């Protein structure tokens, strides 16, 4: 269901405030990278990336194409280096992998997908964002058997109530969408993605209602943009499903990302 003009205005106000807060996000992240290389510690990069992703999401909401492309290009230009130099956990690379898929940067997405798949895990914990990263990497690698296996593990975790209610609902639809895509059931994947999108909008609307009442909310611009879901939509369209049938990824017009250069 489309959002009301009042809700969209709240979103835009949040985005405008975010852009003002992180006007120097690109420059700050480059400075953080120099610190990270010198100290051989990843935290300066991850700390700066939070603001940069928030800035990028705000630009998307406001349809500020230059700002969006500057942020996306900056993130993707360091994606391979982040993966190879610091070897972070799969969930840490979910942003880079999703964005590389969305922006159709095949070299970056192959490199990040390879790093995600090769990550050494100290435990067998099934975490939602980790599962998303591992499944996207499996789909990029065309390892459909692994994608189905990971989807099954995520569904088992949901059945075992390892997540809260909201995360469980999202994880179930994500697992179904991924397994359907691996099975080449494109219609089934699109249906699951539509359900996932509805859950995403439901959460946003709930937080907007809090803001409208004057209550506090932890809603950030980056929460408004479902990067992993958008990445899965791109993979679905690449599998031959009519892009117009996939549905709008957001309630606002998504700017073209194919022009991002790294």
């Amino acid at each position: 269901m489309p959002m009301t003009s009042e809700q969209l205005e709240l979103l835009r106000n949040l985005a405008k405030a975010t852009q003002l807060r992180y006007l120097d996000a690109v420059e700050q992240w480059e400075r953080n990278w120099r610190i990270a290389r010198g100290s051989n510690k990843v935290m300066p990069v991850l700390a700066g990336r939070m603001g940069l992703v928030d800035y990028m999401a705000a630009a998307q909401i406001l349809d500020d194409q230059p700002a969006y492309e500057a942020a996306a290009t900056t993130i993707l230009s360091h994606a391979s280096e982040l993966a190879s130099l610091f070897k972070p956990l799969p969930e840490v690379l979910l942003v880079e992998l999703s964005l590389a898929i969305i922006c159709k940067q095949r070299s970056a997405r192959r490199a990040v997908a390879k790093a995600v798949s090769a990550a050494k895990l100290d435990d067998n914990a099934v975490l939602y964002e980790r599962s998303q990263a591992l499944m996207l990497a499996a789909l990029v690698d065309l390892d459909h058997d692994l994608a189905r296996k990971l989807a099954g593990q995520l569904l088992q975790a949901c059945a075992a109530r390892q997540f809260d209610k909201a995360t469980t609902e999202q994880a179930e639809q994500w697992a179904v969408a991924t397994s359907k895509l691996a099975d080449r059931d494109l219609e089934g994947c699109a249906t699951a993605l539509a359900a996932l999108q509805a859950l995403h909008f439901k959460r946003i609307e709930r937080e907007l209602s809090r803001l409208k009442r004057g209550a506090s909310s932890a809603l950030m611009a980056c929460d408004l943009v479902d990067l992993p879901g958008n990445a899965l939509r791109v993979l679905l369209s690449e599998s031959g499903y009519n892009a117009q049938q996939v549905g709008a990824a957001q309630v606002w017009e998504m700017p073209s990302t194919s022009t991002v250069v790294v």
Side-chain angles (χ1 to χ4, degrees):
M1 180 181 296
M3 290 192 176
T4 66
S5 58
E6 184 178 12
Q7 288 173 322
L8 288 172
E9 187 62 24
L10 284 171
L11 290 181
R12 294 189 182 101
N13 289 340
L14 174 63
K16 290 175 183 176
T18 299
Q19 274 203 326
L20 289 174
R21 186 181 309 120
Y22 295 115
L23 274 177
D24 65 341
V26 171
E27 294 79 6
Q28 182 61 54
W29 206 54
E30 293 292 358
R31 289 193 291 269
N32 285 15
W33 258 103
R34 291 193 289 272
I35 295 171
R37 293 190 192 99
S39 64
N40 198 32
K41 294 181 180 179
V42 71
M43 283 312 299
V45 169
L46 299 184
R49 186 181 63 169
M50 291 177 63
L52 185 55
V53 173
D54 219 22
Y55 176 79
M56 181 180 71
Q60 179 170 325
I61 296 163
L62 297 171
D63 197 19
D64 185 343
Q65 188 76 16
Y68 179 90
E69 292 187 358
T73 298
T74 300
I75 293 172
L76 289 177
S77 66
H78 291 290
S80 297
E81 185 180 9
L82 174 63
S84 61
L85 183 60
F86 296 109
K87 296 180 173 57
L89 292 170
E91 55 266 35
V92 175
L93 292 170
L94 181 58
V95 168
E96 280 75 14
L97 181 55
S98 298
L99 192 57
I101 293 170
I102 292 167
C103 295
K104 302 185 183 300
Q105 296 298 316
R106 295 187 179 276
S107 59
R109 84 183 196 181
R110 283 195 299 268
V112 178
K114 182 178 179 180
V116 167
S117 299
K120 295 181 179 180
L121 305 176
D122 295 331
D123 55 55
N124 295 319
V126 178
L127 308 176
Y128 181 37
E129 291 188 346
R130 177 179 297 178
S131 296
Q132 287 180 298
L134 290 170
M135 287 187 215
L136 283 176
L139 291 172
V140 168
D141 293 338
L142 301 181
D143 191 341
H144 295 150
D145 287 339
L146 178 57
R148 283 187 285 266
K149 177 182 176 181
L150 292 166
Q153 291 175 348
L154 184 56
L155 287 173
Q156 288 176 359
C158 291
R161 299 183 179 179
Q162 294 185 21
F163 313 120
D164 60 40
K165 181 180 178 180
T167 303
T168 296
E169 291 176 336
Q170 293 174 335
E172 286 174 341
Q173 294 302 329
W174 176 271
V176 171
T178 302
S179 61
K180 293 292 186 183
L181 184 54
D183 289 337
R184 296 287 300 174
D185 180 358
L186 305 187
E187 190 68 43
C189 177
T191 299
L193 278 173
L196 185 67
Q197 178 177 278
L199 291 170
H200 177 65
F201 290 166
K202 182 179 178 180
R203 176 177 179 271
I204 293 173
E205 289 176 335
R206 184 169 60 247
E207 293 302 314
L208 290 178
S209 295
R210 290 177 57 83
L211 291 173
K212 183 180 177 181
R213 296 196 308 268
S216 62
S217 171
L219 188 67
M220 300 171 63
C222 61
D223 296 324
L224 306 176
V225 180
D226 181 12
L227 286 176
N230 292 346
L232 202 52
R233 288 182 186 88
V234 170
L235 293 178
L236 173 60
S237 66
E238 289 180 355
S239 295
Y241 197 78
N242 188 322
Q244 295 300 317
Q245 294 175 281
V246 178
Q250 309 295 163
V251 288
W252 49 85
E253 184 67 22
M254 189 179 195
S256 171
T257 55
S258 60
T259 57
V260 174
V261 177
V262 296

